[in-house]
Structures are given as C-alpha cells and as structure tokens.
Amino acid sequence: MPNIKLYTAKLSPPGRAVELTAKLLGLELDIIPINLLAGDHRKDAFLKMNPQHTIPVIDDEGVIVRDSHAIIIYLVLKYGTDHALYPDDPVTRAKVNAGLHFDSGVLFSRLRFYFEPILYEGSSDVPQHKIEYMQKGYELLNDALVDDYMVGNTLTLADISCIATIATMEEFFPMDRSKYPALVGWIERLSRTLPEYEQLNQQGAVEFAEICESLRLKNAIKAQFNALMVSSAARPAGLMMCVYRTGLLDISYETDGPELVSKMESPSMVLYYDEVSPPVRGVLLAIAALGVRDRIKFEYINLFGAGHLSADYIKINPLHTIPVLRHGELTLIDSHAILMYLCDTFAPTDSPFAIQDTLARAKVFNMLCFNNGHLFQRDAEVMRKIFSGDITDPTGHLKPIEDTIDALEHFLKQSRYTALDRLSVADFAIVGTLSTLDLLVPIKGDRWPRVSEWYKEMQSLPYYNEHNRVGLDKLREKLSTRIKI
C-alpha cells in the first residue's frame, strides 16, 4: 500500500472528490488536515508544496500533485486496477475531461464566488446574482444528463468531481427539485453508488454551509457595529464601555450610551414563522418564557403552501428557511442564533435566561449545536423523505434518530436540563425537535429515563401547549396523510 499524504479539509468539495476516488480505488490516504480559516494554506511549509496555496494537494512519496482534477486522474492511472473511471478510449476520455472542466470552470467557480468574500473578506452579502448564477449551474448539468451518468451509463471521474460540488451547492442554496428531474436522479444514484457517501461527502457539505452561514452572520453583526461606531465618531469626553454579546461573538465598543442604545432599540423586531416547524416552535417557547411577545411582530409563512419559496420571502432569506428574525438592519436566519439574540436582547441580568457566565454560554451554545447538527438533522432528513414521497414507511430509517436520542440521554445524566441545571434556550430548541421525533420514535422511559423525565417537565411548562403543542398537532395532521402514526 503506497504512503500517500492528502493535504485537505473536510469542508473542501475538491478535497472530498479525492477522498471519494481513493475509496473507490481501495487506497488508504494519510489525511493531513489544513485549516483554511486559520491560514494553514499560507504557511511556508505548505507554500513550498503549492505556491497557489490551494487544497487539495497530495504527496505520493515525494511526487507532489496539485488540483483535485489532476490528482484523481493521477490516482486512477497509477493505482487503478483498470481505467474504468478514466477510460483509455480518446473520445470517452475527452468527454470525462470536459466534465472535469465543467466542475472546475462552472460549478465550483460559481460556488467559490459566493463563499470566498464571506470567508476571507468579512462580507455578509447574499447577492441574488450569485445565487442565480449557481442555480444556472443546476440547469446546465440537468440538461446535460441524458444518460445515467455524465458520460454514458458508467460512473467516471466527472461524476465524482461534480457531485462533491453539487452536494455543497445544495446545502447553501437548495434547488427546486421539481425543476431538475435528471439532476435529482443523478444525485440519488451517486449517493447510493459511492461507498461511504454520507461520511465522505455529505457531512462535509453540511458542515461547510453551516460554518459559512455562521461566519456571514458574524460579519453582519460586526459590520453593523462598525457602522454605528463611525456614526458616533464625534463623541463627548465622558464615554462608557459596552459589550454586545450574541451566540456568535462578543464585540466591545465605546459609546456615549443613550444615543447608541436608542439606535438599537428603535427598529421593530419581526419574526417570520410557521408553527409546524420545530425550530420555529423553539423560538416561540423562548419568546413566551421571556415575556416579550408584545415586542415582536409576527409574519406567518405557510410552509405547506410554499410561502417560503415566494419571491418576496427569498429576498429576505435566499435559503428559504424559517424562522427568520429581522431587527433593523440585522437579519438572522438560524433559530439557534435567534434564541441567543433574544436572550441577549431581552433577558435582564438577574433572569435565569441571561447567559453572562462564559462557561454557561459555552454549554448552552454546545447543546444548541447538538440540536442543529445532530438531532434536528436526523428529523429533517426523515421528514424530507416522507413529504417528498421517497419513503412511506419510516421504520427502517429510525436507527440514526434513536442513536441521537441515546446521546441526549447521556447529556441529561450530567445536568438537570440539557445544558445547565436551570432552564435555558437550549431546552426550547431541543424540545421543539424531540417532540417532533416523538411522532416517529415514541420517547419511552424504559430506554431513555432521563430524556422521558426531562420531556415531561418541559411539557408541564405553562406556555408549552400554546407555543409547541399547537404547531406539533398541525404537523401531526399533515404527517398522517403520508404515513401511519
């Protein structure tokens, strides 16, 4: 077995294409993680291998190969028992080359044009023309897929390279699947065909989109405060130091007090919601617990009526997800960020929902991430398949959900509530999701005693029925038209 070092990041679509190819070839790679956000790709040792400071790069016992498309060709030609992934026939090979260049010059370049300003330039923009440019990539590939694969009816390197990018693009901006039947069929075919597809490709795509969106929100908040600081340039001598805290970052700034505070409080706060959504219900519970319902305007978005896909709503949130909270120039499109913002905006310092202690904040944020990255993703994956008609009996799809509830059982053995020994917004987020999963996997006390105990306590909250059960019952009614529950 050769000793091939792969310098990459799980976030990188090109890097994932190399890992998928190596898995098909039966090659074991020595993965050397490169943290792009920390600047590992610009350090001297890496620049000696690749002056272009891009990943992936392989070092095959002294042979350095850069660019994923060149790397996967090299691996097939040197280590493949046959050349099926990159056929010897010049006509077929030319078509595979065209597919590789389509990924490099069309798909990945359009994705890169969107995320690079966010990662490296502090941008918080979601330019509509860039979204449309990526969506055009969906259309181009859909129209080109006249066979099962990009080059005839056999898997080639063109498919492997493009699926890594397409999976990532869809996590950023999900396609309207009804418009691209050939592309959807191709994605599903590859997700079944490629070994360890979920681990080697899909997980990295999801993580990249989440990190990029989190950073974009940080950039937006930072830009907002920079603008306020500039507008307050002519400050009087007596200054006070304030710290604005969110679940994303802490920003310190100097202000003359009332002027800046009034600027933050004057815009109205608007929540776009549909209570059938678990993340929405978590936010509604927090609003009720904080007693600030009268401080927020509610705009209903009918999910099952495709209200989230309307042109007006997409201008607010191009990811067409709910909930969305708008407060002046700030737009938050993730429920977990909204929960932290609500606490930081409305919870008095003596409130149990105020999270001023660094350790407590870390614990709450940790469990919000658990909900977002694990519990809710399991729920969303199964629900998406049920409502798309892909599955009519979810029985065979429940083990990942059960495994994740096992993890929640472990966490609840460490504290009374999910994050702390007192109620926090992490509990609201998680109960919104868990109550939905309960429709598919009943929470039984014999298997999950702590989860069951905590769940009953959450159900006893005076505002639980109005702000969680009502939406849950609406979802149950919709779900019952698809599966037996």
Side-chain angles (χ1 to χ4, degrees):
M1 183 68 67
N3 179 24
I4 305 172
K5 295 179 180 178
L6 172 63
Y7 296 82
T8 188
K10 186 62 74 175
L11 308 182
S12 164
R16 285 185 264 118
V18 173
E19 292 193 64
L20 287 168
T21 302
K23 181 60 66 173
L24 280 171
L25 296 173
L27 292 172
E28 294 291 335
L29 301 175
D30 180 10
I31 304 295
I32 311 296
I34 298 295
N35 188 332
L36 297 175
L37 296 179
D40 288 355
H41 58 308
R42 293 186 179 274
K43 293 180 179 178
D44 290 344
F46 187 83
L47 290 173
K48 288 178 181 178
M49 288 191 300
N50 184 11
Q52 293 176 312
H53 53 76
T54 57
I55 56 170
V57 173
I58 64 167
D59 179 352
D60 183 9
E61 298 180 342
V63 176
I64 306 297
V65 186
R66 313 173 187 95
D67 185 274
S68 65
H69 310 89
I71 292 170
I72 59 180
I73 291 172
Y74 171 85
L75 293 177
V76 169
L77 294 182
K78 184 168 181 179
Y79 296 108
T81 55
D82 58 49
H83 295 169
L85 293 173
Y86 192 63
D88 294 327
D89 171 63
V91 174
T92 308
R93 181 170 286 188
K95 293 178 179 179
V96 175
N97 287 339
L100 294 173
H101 285 292
F102 177 75
D103 175 59
S104 176
V106 178
L107 296 179
F108 185 68
S109 64
R110 295 178 188 211
L111 176 63
R112 188 177 67 244
F113 291 156
Y114 173 78
F115 72 71
E116 277 191 342
I118 295 171
L119 295 186
Y120 304 122
E121 300 169 17
S123 172
S124 61
D125 295 336
V126 185
Q128 185 62 30
H129 71 279
K130 290 188 178 181
I131 299 169
E132 292 171 355
Y133 203 39
M134 277 193 278
Q135 291 170 338
K136 182 66 176 178
Y138 294 150
E139 179 183 335
L140 292 171
L141 183 52
N142 181 78
D143 293 347
L145 285 164
V146 296
D147 297 306
D148 284 350
Y149 295 97
M150 291 185 66
V151 182
N153 292 310
T154 304
L155 177 72
T156 68
L157 293 180
D159 300 289
I160 297 170
S161 191
C162 289
I163 191 60
T165 304
I166 284 289
T168 310
M169 289 170 62
E170 194 175 17
E171 288 301 325
F172 277 88
F173 299 104
M175 69 180 76
D176 180 350
R177 291 195 157 211
S178 65
K179 292 182 179 180
Y180 311 110
L183 178 55
V184 170
W186 174 79
I187 293 170
E188 293 176 348
R189 194 173 300 115
L190 286 170
S191 67
R192 295 192 303 267
T193 302
L194 294 173
E196 299 183 29
Y197 177 85
E198 182 73 19
Q199 176 185 350
L200 294 179
N201 190 43
Q202 195 61 41
Q203 289 179 7
V206 171
E207 185 178 352
F208 185 28
E210 289 176 347
I211 287 175
C212 196
E213 180 58 18
S214 177
L215 185 58
R216 190 187 71 80
L217 294 174
K218 288 182 182 180
N219 294 342
I221 294 171
K222 189 173 182 179
Q224 181 181 16
F225 275 91
N226 287 341
L228 290 172
M229 289 173 70
V230 169
S231 68
S232 303
R235 287 171 273 182
L239 298 177
M240 58 183 290
M241 179 62 71
C242 300
V243 179
Y244 178 74
R245 291 186 173 89
T246 74
L248 299 172
L249 75 168
D250 291 358
I251 301 176
S252 299
Y253 57 92
E254 288 182 328
T255 173
D256 51 359
E259 178 188 352
L260 189 55
V261 170
S262 66
K263 289 181 180 180
M264 289 302 298
E265 293 182 349
S266 59
S268 61
M269 191 176 283
V270 182
L271 180 74
Y272 297 83
Y273 80 104
D274 184 336
E275 61 269 24
V276 299
S277 159
V280 165
R281 285 185 264 119
V283 171
L284 294 177
L285 286 168
I287 290 170
L290 290 165
V292 294
R293 187 174 177 84
D294 60 339
R295 305 280 297 275
I296 300 170
K297 180 181 178 183
F298 294 83
E299 292 284 349
Y300 178 67
I301 302 296
N302 188 338
L303 278 181
F304 287 103
H308 60 304
L309 299 177
S310 69
D312 287 342
Y313 186 72
I314 288 176
K315 289 178 183 177
I316 297 170
N317 179 12
L319 294 179
H320 51 75
T321 56
I322 58 171
V324 166
L325 184 76
R326 302 186 81 183
H327 191 186
E329 297 178 2
L330 176 65
T331 300
L332 296 177
I333 64 172
D334 177 86
S335 63
H336 307 87
I338 292 171
L339 288 168
M340 296 295 283
Y341 183 71
L342 290 172
C343 283
D344 293 330
T345 303
F346 293 121
T349 56
D350 58 350
S351 164
F353 295 106
I355 314 172
Q356 296 180 319
D357 175 72
T358 302
L359 180 59
R361 178 172 288 270
K363 289 180 177 180
V364 171
F365 196 71
N366 180 51
M367 293 309 296
L368 288 174
C369 290
F370 167 75
N371 182 65
N372 190 19
H374 297 274
L375 204 62
F376 179 67
Q377 291 305 319
R378 302 302 188 195
D379 169 53
E381 181 181 12
V382 174
M383 289 295 181
R384 188 162 49 240
K385 290 178 179 178
I386 291 172
F387 284 107
S388 68
D390 290 345
I391 59 174
T392 55
D393 180 3
T395 306
H397 302 262
L398 301 181
K399 188 177 185 306
I401 294 174
E402 293 170 343
D403 291 344
T404 310
I405 300 175
D406 286 342
L408 181 60
E409 175 74 14
H410 170 77
F411 294 139
L412 279 166
K413 290 178 180 177
Q414 316 303 315
S415 56
R416 179 179 174 183
Y417 293 94
T418 57
L420 308 169
D421 285 324
R422 67 177 191 272
L423 195 63
S424 75
V425 288
D427 297 287
F428 298 142
I430 290 173
V431 80
T433 304
L434 188 79
S435 59
T436 307
L437 293 175
D438 188 37
L439 300 175
L440 303 173
V441 182
I443 306 302
K444 297 179 179 179
D446 55 347
R447 175 166 179 176
W448 299 298
R450 277 294 294 122
V451 172
S452 178
E453 180 184 6
W454 167 84
Y455 187 27
K456 290 176 182 176
E457 187 168 354
M458 294 300 294
Q459 291 173 306
S460 70
L461 292 172
Y463 40 80
Y464 178 87
N465 286 342
E466 179 182 356
H467 297 288
N468 192 63
R469 194 181 300 279
V470 170
L472 187 64
D473 288 343
K474 289 183 179 180
L475 178 60
R476 187 199 312 271
E477 182 180 350
K478 290 286 186 181
L479 196 60
S480 65
T481 65
R482 299 283 183 159
I483 62 172
K484 184 178 179 179
I485 55 173

